[in-house]
Amino acid sequence: MLLTAPLAATLLLVPALPVNVSSCGTWTAPSDPNAVITVPAGECLAVRTSASLAFRGIHVVGQLVLDTSLARVGAPIDVAITAEYIFVEGIFAIRTADDAVVPAPTGRISITLIAPHDGRTDFVFQSLKRPSAPAIAVGVKCFVVWGGQLDMRALPRSPACVSWARLEDVSADGELVLDRAVGPCWAAGAELLVTSHTMLHTDAQTATIQSSSGNRVFLTAPLVRPTTLTDSADFAVEVALLSRNVVIQGAEDDLDKRRIGAHLMVMDTPSVAQTIHGLLFLRMGQQGLLGRYPVHTHMCRRVDGTSFTHNVIRTSHQRCINIHGTDNVLVQDNVAFETAGHWCGTRECRARSASFRPPPGACGRPHRLPLAPDALRGARAIARSFLTEDGGETGNAFVRNLGASTLRVTALIRPEETDDRASTFWMSNGNNTWEGNVAAGCADAGFWLELRTRVRPPTRATPADYAPSRVPIRRFVDNVAHSNGLRGAWRSVARKARANEGTSRLIPRPTRRAVRRQASKTTRARTSNRNPSTHTTRARWALASSTLRRTGTRTA
């Protein structure tokens, strides 16, 4: 049963087990752009046939499943949903075929979030499960989970569909040879990312697959030859799969060019495991607006079992995966590309940097760029892809994620933020895990560990004197940074407390002696040599990684 009447008070307890699709009824609601569809408590509905649906909003209090697992050639099932908002207090699930390739000939799902037709700038929701709870404002083009559960699985888990691999070689006819098998998941028509092989983050390339077999991929058009493992074990580029069969996207209706995409937020939902596996998030994030990010866990506290894996975030206007006030999240094998807007604030900077190319045969080796870092200080940015936000987040694991083309933005969230430089991985508390990640091209820094003397509000730690700047690093191993504008990796430490938030003014602490002692141990941290402190930073992080391998901890 589907309700299109005004919302009524209902109660639903979120089940601990995944939804049983076979027990669900069939979705029968006709498309109506002016209707608000409610899936009531106790109801489980599934979309199992091809459908193109448009609604003003969808409010899930029961269970809603988009199921294309039975799609086959000759029996296509493709689902397209357009709405101004989706609000989940029950369960929202996605199921696709276990043997699906990317891109699949059928079985695709798209969810497009559009601007409100009445011009409003905020949707305000009143919970149906908790009528006494205060209403919440969640912006526009919103996909919001409040007390509900996401169980979205868009790629087969066994065998796993590889998100990215390193380039082993390029044959004479342009065939790519990767360091691991990717077929048959990487199918004809899929789009690939080949990360930058130079010192510029803007030199990433994209290509289309013609065919693939095992670890060999044939392209429809040749690439500018990148650096491979055959050329250099330290400087080989990465190749990532950008296509997915399920996409959540913001509509291309941002007519005033404010860079207002869609956003997905799981808020105030503790102890509920969320699963987002194998989706493409396109045109997400809302530049300059607090809390409006492509994938955002907000004040969920401990959420054991939550995982964001094998996803792609592309053309994000603000950040990518934002862990805020939430612990024990697994973020693994995700790819972020072309995120956060403009990479440079001045025309002079773009012209001078774009004119630089490494000499022939350089194989992407570090070279000093003809641009002083002072030229960039006038352009503030919040370009960050994978991050923990307030400094109180612990137990989260960032494993084998790839970020490329992390660009600058033109609008800060708020003036008091310390986001003066872009970074692909931004870390505010050492009690988390970073292993096997790659920052493959950022306007400023690949990895930034920004430590504060206190946890920022609204995340408040116990006891009150908890200081992230004194927390040991849990694990930082085998991370790689290359083609970044200013630094491959750096750490900021507290120097002077700020009165307005109880946070701190942060500065880097170079140690040049460590450079000389550890020069032979820095091959995995491939960073740019744009300024003298780059070598220092590179050595410090190489030293930290070596220490972690021996002891598993290091005092920040």
Side-chain angles (χ1 to χ4, degrees):
M1 178 182 179
L2 290 167
L3 303 181
T4 57
L7 306 183
T10 324
L11 177 65
L12 174 72
L13 298 178
V14 176
L17 298 176
V19 61
N20 182 3
V21 180
S22 61
S23 64
C24 295
T26 301
W27 176 285
T28 59
S31 181
D32 183 353
N34 297 313
V36 174
I37 300 297
T38 301
V39 181
E43 294 281 344
C44 180
L45 300 176
V47 179
R48 298 191 181 94
T49 59
S50 290
S52 180
L53 305 170
F55 304 104
R56 185 183 182 196
I58 300 175
H59 195 137
V60 180
V61 188
Q63 302 176 22
L64 176 61
V65 185
L66 308 183
D67 182 13
T68 63
S69 59
L70 300 179
R72 295 291 185 273
V73 176
I77 302 176
D78 295 298
V79 177
I81 293 178
T82 301
E84 296 178 10
Y85 66 86
I86 297 176
F87 194 43
V88 179
E89 296 186 87
I91 296 179
F92 189 100
I94 289 177
R95 294 289 186 273
T96 59
D98 292 335
D99 58 350
V101 298
V102 180
T106 184
R108 301 187 189 185
I109 297 173
S110 68
I111 299 173
T112 304
L113 296 162
I114 62 174
H117 68 278
D118 56 5
R120 69 173 66 193
T121 57
D122 246 333
F123 279 108
V124 178
F125 290 104
Q126 179 67 54
S127 172
L128 300 185
K129 287 168 51 180
R130 296 170 287 182
S132 60
I136 55 172
V138 293
V140 297
K141 296 185 182 180
C142 47
F143 193 135
V144 179
V145 180
W146 188 23
Q149 185 175 30
L150 297 178
D151 188 15
M152 302 192 290
R153 307 169 191 264
L155 283 177
R157 287 181 177 265
S158 181
C161 184
V162 176
S163 290
W164 61 271
R166 297 186 75 192
L167 182 60
E168 187 170 294
D169 201 2
V170 179
S171 66
D173 58 356
E175 174 191 19
L176 304 184
V177 182
L178 306 178
D179 69 343
R180 61 179 60 201
V182 296
C185 182
W186 293 24
E191 189 174 6
L192 297 182
L193 161 68
V194 180
T195 60
S196 174
H197 62 287
T198 75
M199 294 305 302
L200 294 180
H201 66 278
T202 54
D203 281 345
Q205 304 178 73
T206 56
T208 303
I209 296 179
Q210 185 178 52
S211 62
S212 66
S213 176
N215 68 332
R216 309 178 82 87
V217 177
F218 299 89
L219 304 179
T220 58
L223 296 170
V224 175
R225 191 185 192 284
T227 308
T228 69
L229 288 171
T230 303
D231 300 323
S232 169
D234 297 320
F235 297 99
V237 302
E238 298 79 23
V239 181
L241 180 68
L242 293 178
S243 300
R244 294 292 188 270
N245 295 328
V246 178
V247 57
I248 297 178
Q249 60 187 345
E252 297 184 85
D253 55 6
D254 190 16
L255 301 181
D256 54 3
K257 306 300 181 184
R258 292 191 301 124
R259 301 180 182 87
I260 302 298
H263 74 98
L264 185 151
M265 176 168 57
V266 182
M267 63 174 296
D268 195 19
T269 305
S271 304
V272 178
Q274 313 289 340
T275 300
I276 303 178
H277 177 74
L279 278 69
L280 167 62
F281 294 90
L282 183 63
R283 294 186 295 274
M284 304 286 285
Q286 300 178 1
Q287 193 167 131
L289 298 182
L290 181 65
R292 308 296 182 246
Y293 318 123
V295 178
H296 178 201
T297 61
H298 178 76
M299 307 304 295
C300 292
R301 299 178 287 284
R302 184 166 177 167
V303 287
D304 295 7
T306 292
S307 62
F308 304 143
T309 55
H310 291 265
N311 303 294
V312 174
I313 301 97
R314 185 171 184 182
T315 316
S316 167
H317 303 304
Q318 181 165 264
R319 302 183 177 179
C320 290
I321 297 179
N322 192 104
I323 308 299
H324 182 201
T326 305
D327 302 332
N328 298 355
V329 177
L330 173 64
V331 181
Q332 182 172 357
D333 279 292
N334 300 286
V335 177
F337 178 54
E338 293 180 336
T339 60
H342 297 297
W343 75 273
C344 187
T346 65
R347 184 175 304 174
E348 176 188 11
C349 172
R350 284 193 293 270
R352 294 177 65 182
S353 296
S355 64
F356 173 77
R357 293 291 184 275
C363 295
R365 292 195 302 270
H367 289 269
R368 188 178 300 279
L369 292 180
L371 177 64
D374 290 345
L376 296 176
R377 287 179 181 165
R380 295 169 59 89
I382 53 167
R384 291 159 180 174
S385 295
F386 304 94
L387 66 147
T388 55
E389 188 168 340
D390 281 348
E393 299 85 6
T394 63
N396 302 291
F398 297 84
V399 181
R400 208 175 178 277
N401 300 288
L402 171 67
S405 296
T406 308
L407 311 176
R408 291 177 177 270
V409 300
T410 57
L412 283 170
I413 292 178
R414 51 191 178 187
E416 64 269 23
E417 291 286 343
T418 59
D419 305 79
D420 299 278
R421 295 290 181 263
S423 59
T424 302
F425 293 88
W426 188 65
M427 303 159 284
S428 58
N429 189 308
N431 191 17
N432 294 283
T433 297
W434 299 272
E435 183 170 355
N437 301 289
V438 178
C442 176
D444 283 290
F447 294 85
W448 182 5
L449 179 58
E450 183 181 11
L451 302 174
R452 301 173 181 270
T453 56
R454 298 181 188 175
V455 176
R456 298 194 305 177
T459 303
R460 285 299 189 189
T462 303
D465 60 350
Y466 179 85
S469 59
R470 299 181 181 180
V471 175
I473 295 177
R474 175 178 290 195
R475 186 171 177 82
F476 188 93
V477 177
D478 294 331
N479 299 291
V480 177
H482 69 86
S483 308
N484 294 291
L486 291 177
R487 304 173 179 90
W490 73 303
R491 186 184 72 167
S492 298
V493 294
R495 182 181 182 184
K496 181 180 178 181
R498 296 177 61 175
N500 60 337
E501 283 189 282
T503 60
S504 59
R505 191 65 180 172
L506 305 169
I507 61 170
R509 292 174 57 187
T511 57
R512 296 183 182 277
R513 290 182 181 178
V515 179
R516 303 185 186 96
R517 291 197 306 267
Q518 300 294 330
S520 62
K521 300 182 180 180
T522 61
T523 55
R524 285 295 291 167
R526 298 175 284 150
T527 63
S528 90
N529 292 338
R530 184 171 291 184
N531 63 12
S533 66
T534 297
H535 287 294
T536 298
T537 304
R538 193 190 321 179
R540 288 178 65 83
W541 286 79
L543 177 61
S545 187
S546 299
T547 304
L548 286 166
R549 288 191 185 95
R550 292 196 303 271
T551 66
T553 184
R554 178 178 182 269
T555 302

